[in-house]
Amino acid sequence: MDYQKILNTIYEELSHIDLQGEVASYIPELAKVDPRKFGMHLYVGKGEHFCFGDSTEKFSIQSISKVFTLTIAMQLLGENVWERVDVEPSGDPFNSLTQLEYENGIPRNPFINAGALVICDILVSNYEDPKKELLSFVRKITQDENINYDHKIAASEKSTGFRNIALVNYMKALGNIKNDVEPIVDFYFHQCSLAMSCEELAKAFMIYANNGKMLETGEKILSRTKTKRINALMQTCGFYDEAGEFSFEVGLPGKSGVGGGIVAIHPDQYSVAVWNPILNQKGNSELGMAALEKLTTMTGLSIF
Ligand code: GLU
C-alpha cells in the first residue's frame, strides 16, 4: 500500500475546500489558532510513518486526552471503573448536564465531560500528583520527554470553565465525586491543555492499534481486553453526539477534541491523527473527518 501517495491525494483534494464551521472560541486561547492549519500523520507497524502539512506542529489536544486518563484509570481499577461511569453513547452534547439528573450522577461514558471528570476524580484519589503521572504516561508511550501542558490554555479554560465546575459540583451532590472540586477541575483543565502534534498523537495511539503494546519497545502497556474495551468506547462514544455519523462515514474507533484534532486507529493496521481547527456544529474537525473518510475509502481499511 502506498500510504504516502494516498496522503498526498487527500491533501491535494481537501486543502482548498471551503469550510462551513468555526474555530472553538468558548476557550478564549483556542480562538487564536490559525484556522488554515492542516496536517495528518499515519503510523503503521514497525515504525513506518507518513504525513503531510502541519503534522509536526503542536496543538491543544483537548478531549483526546480523555483516552489517556481512561487508560490510566483502567490500569488502576480494572473493571471497577464501570461502577462510577457507564459505557453507553450519550447522544447529548459533550458538556451536557441533563442526563446526570435522571441517571443519578453516573455519566453515560468516560468521553463526555462528566465521565472524564469522574475519571479525573479517580486519578486525584490515587496519585499525589496526577498531572505528573499523566505526563509521564504520555511521554512514555510517545518516547518523547518534551511533551508538556500548555499552561496558558489551561488558565484560559479555567477562566470560562463554569459548566465543567458545575458538572463536578452536581456529581458531588449526587455522591459520585470523592475529592474536592478544585483539584479535579485543575487536573481536567491541564489534561485538556496537553500540547501534541499529529505525529506524537499517532505514535501514542499505536498502543491501541497494537493490542496494548508499544511500537518501538514492544512493552505491553495494556492487556488485550482493556485495549478492546477502550477501542469499543472510542467507536461508540468518541465523537460527541456525532459518533454514529463518524462510524458511518469513516468506520474507525477514534477520539476528537475541540482543538480540531482527531485520532483514529485500525486494530493491527495503523494509527492516524489529523488536525484542522475549524469545527462542525457537533464540535468535530470538519476537514479532519473528511480526510479520514477519504483515508478509509482509498485504503479500503476501515473496521467494517
Ligand atoms: N476542555 C474542553 C471542555 O471541557 C474539552 C472539550 C472537548 O475537546 O471535547 O469543554
Side-chain angles (χ1 to χ4, degrees):
M1 181 94 66
D2 191 342
Y3 283 111
Q4 191 57 57
K5 194 169 167 205
I6 291 172
L7 261 60
N8 292 346
T9 308
I10 295 172
Y11 186 69
E12 278 156 28
E13 289 184 5
L14 293 181
S15 53
H16 298 295
I17 64 168
D18 283 335
L19 297 169
Q20 311 297 317
E22 284 170 17
V23 174
S25 56
Y26 75 99
I27 299 173
E29 275 300 305
L30 289 183
K32 297 181 183 166
V33 180
D34 180 352
R36 287 162 306 187
K37 294 286 177 191
F38 185 29
M40 190 167 188
H41 214 104
L42 180 115
Y43 261 89
V44 294
K46 301 195 196 85
E48 270 183 297
H49 51 120
F50 309 90
C51 61
F52 68 65
D54 303 305
S55 78
T56 56
E57 187 166 329
K58 289 178 190 285
F59 58 93
S60 183
I61 72 166
Q62 293 295 317
S63 275
I64 296 170
S65 63
K66 294 170 182 171
V67 184
F68 299 141
T69 47
L70 173 64
T71 303
I72 299 172
M74 286 175 73
Q75 286 170 328
L76 285 167
L77 298 192
E79 298 294 315
N80 294 336
V81 170
W82 316 122
E83 289 166 14
R84 307 272 306 273
V85 55
D86 208 345
V87 294
E88 294 296 338
S90 77
D92 272 343
F94 65 98
N95 55 7
S96 169
L97 281 134
T98 47
Q99 268 168 356
L100 283 175
E101 166 113 58
Y102 52 84
E103 291 178 2
N104 302 318
I106 305 291
R108 274 287 173 104
N109 68 68
F111 294 152
I112 53 171
N113 286 10
L117 288 159
V118 167
I119 299 294
C120 284
D121 187 42
I122 292 173
L123 267 61
V124 169
S125 291
N126 280 275
Y127 294 119
E128 187 107 5
D129 189 346
K131 286 188 261 189
K132 200 168 140 206
E133 292 295 331
L134 172 60
L135 215 46
S136 48
F137 174 78
V138 177
R139 286 175 175 176
K140 179 175 181 164
I141 59 173
T142 50
Q143 301 270 284
D144 186 342
E145 287 300 310
N146 293 316
I147 290 171
N148 224 322
Y149 300 113
D150 181 332
H151 296 286
K152 237 174 144 179
I153 299 257
S156 179
E157 183 165 2
K158 193 171 196 170
S159 71
T160 56
F162 308 113
R163 276 192 92 88
N164 287 319
I165 296 164
L167 282 166
V168 184
N169 274 298
Y170 197 29
M171 290 188 291
K172 195 166 172 73
L174 293 166
N176 196 18
I177 289 287
K178 315 287 176 210
N179 295 282
D180 289 341
V181 175
E182 163 57 26
I184 298 168
V185 291
D186 179 63
F187 177 44
Y188 177 76
F189 295 143
H190 278 85
Q191 74 165 74
C192 291
S193 84
L194 268 174
M196 292 174 75
S197 66
C198 289
E199 178 173 15
E200 291 158 353
L201 279 171
K203 195 170 178 193
F205 271 64
M206 270 312 277
I207 62 168
Y208 308 106
N210 197 26
N211 282 311
K213 276 197 297 237
M214 274 174 60
L215 192 60
E216 278 167 353
T217 62
E219 188 185 337
K220 190 100 177 148
I221 301 288
L222 263 183
S223 71
R224 189 178 275 268
T225 305
K226 290 192 177 85
T227 310
K228 180 184 76 175
R229 297 220 189 295
I230 292 172
N231 288 345
L233 282 165
M234 285 201 274
Q235 185 72 42
T236 51
C237 312
F239 295 88
Y240 315 120
D241 43 341
E242 200 173 29
E245 179 76 10
F246 190 85
S247 262
F248 187 77
E249 294 286 340
V250 178
L252 295 174
K255 185 74 200 83
S256 59
V258 294
I262 301 180
V263 198
I265 63 112
H266 188 304
D268 297 325
Q269 294 287 350
Y270 60 76
S271 159
V272 59
V274 58
W275 172 49
N276 171 261
I278 297 183
L279 307 180
N280 65 19
Q281 282 192 338
K282 299 283 169 84
N284 294 309
S285 169
E286 206 176 318
L287 204 48
M289 275 182 75
L292 291 170
E293 189 279 322
K294 282 199 182 296
L295 178 74
T296 52
T297 301
M298 290 164 80
T299 57
L301 289 172
S302 90
I303 64 161
F304 298 110

